[in-house]
Amino acid sequence: LQESEKSYLIPKGFVSAFKFYGKPVNVKVQQDTHEFYNALCDQIEQLIPKPRKEKKEGAVDDQSHKFLKSTMGGTLFNETRSLEPEYPYLVERDEAFYTIGLDIKNKKTLQEALDFYIKPDVLEGENKYQCEQYDRKVSA
């Protein structure tokens, strides 16, 4: 709207074309902004033509190049590690993202919010981690 002569926009075409996880958007229901943005980016990603590379043997490699994920997103690496030496356990997983939710309340800088975001969560007491490997709850 900044570059437009209009003072408002009716997104009727967008709303009818956009599918939120395969279903039409219900404009009367408030959506989570992170979920909405992720769904939007996923759909845009699917519409971007995928480059095709020739392999040495002449076979075509149709691995999709994730343009939005590589330019606007990233990967979070999560680790769950036992804090109990008698029950050694470590599992790592990665998760693609377009956005991260930062807690900015009572934070003076973006760096402070980012530092808080990567601060480990300790699961102990009644909140221990259910470790299937040992079939018991462990501090993690």
Side-chain angles (χ1 to χ4, degrees), residues 1 6-12:
L1 292 176
K6 296 180 180 183
S7 59
Y8 64 91
L9 176 71
I10 299 174
K12 193 176 209 174

Side-chain angles (χ1 to χ4, degrees), residues 45-57:
E45 192 80 77
Q46 291 174 8
L47 295 172
I48 297 173
K50 295 168 179 51
R52 298 173 66 83
K53 296 179 185 176
E54 293 289 330
K55 290 185 178 179
K56 290 181 182 178
E57 300 84 33

Side-chain angles (χ1 to χ4, degrees), residues 117-131:
Y117 183 79
I118 63 169
K119 182 181 171 195
D121 291 324
V122 177
L123 305 174
E124 58 189 354
E126 290 187 24
N127 194 31
K128 284 186 174 185
Y129 177 74
Q130 178 61 44
C131 181

Side-chain angles (χ1 to χ4, degrees), residues 18-94:
F18 180 73
K19 302 290 184 239
F20 191 67
Y21 296 109
K23 297 180 181 175
V25 175
N26 182 348
V27 296
K28 296 178 182 177
V29 175
Q30 182 174 336
Q31 302 290 333
D32 176 78
T33 56
H34 291 285
E35 279 187 70
F36 179 82
Y37 184 71
N38 287 336
L40 176 63
C41 288
D42 284 340
Q43 287 185 38
I44 291 171
E45 192 80 77
Q46 291 174 8
L47 295 172
I48 297 173
K50 295 168 179 51
R52 298 173 66 83
K53 296 179 185 176
E54 293 289 330
K55 290 185 178 179
K56 290 181 182 178
E57 300 84 33
V60 176
D61 180 8
D62 64 351
Q63 287 287 329
S64 63
H65 174 69
K66 299 295 185 186
F67 177 75
L68 289 181
K69 283 188 177 152
S70 66
T71 57
M72 296 172 37
T75 305
L76 291 173
F77 295 96
N78 295 298
E79 156 181 303
T80 303
R81 179 176 11 117
S82 171
L83 299 175
E84 300 178 19
E86 62 274 17
Y87 299 105
Y89 176 79
L90 173 67
V91 76
E92 298 172 315
R93 63 181 170 84
D94 59 334

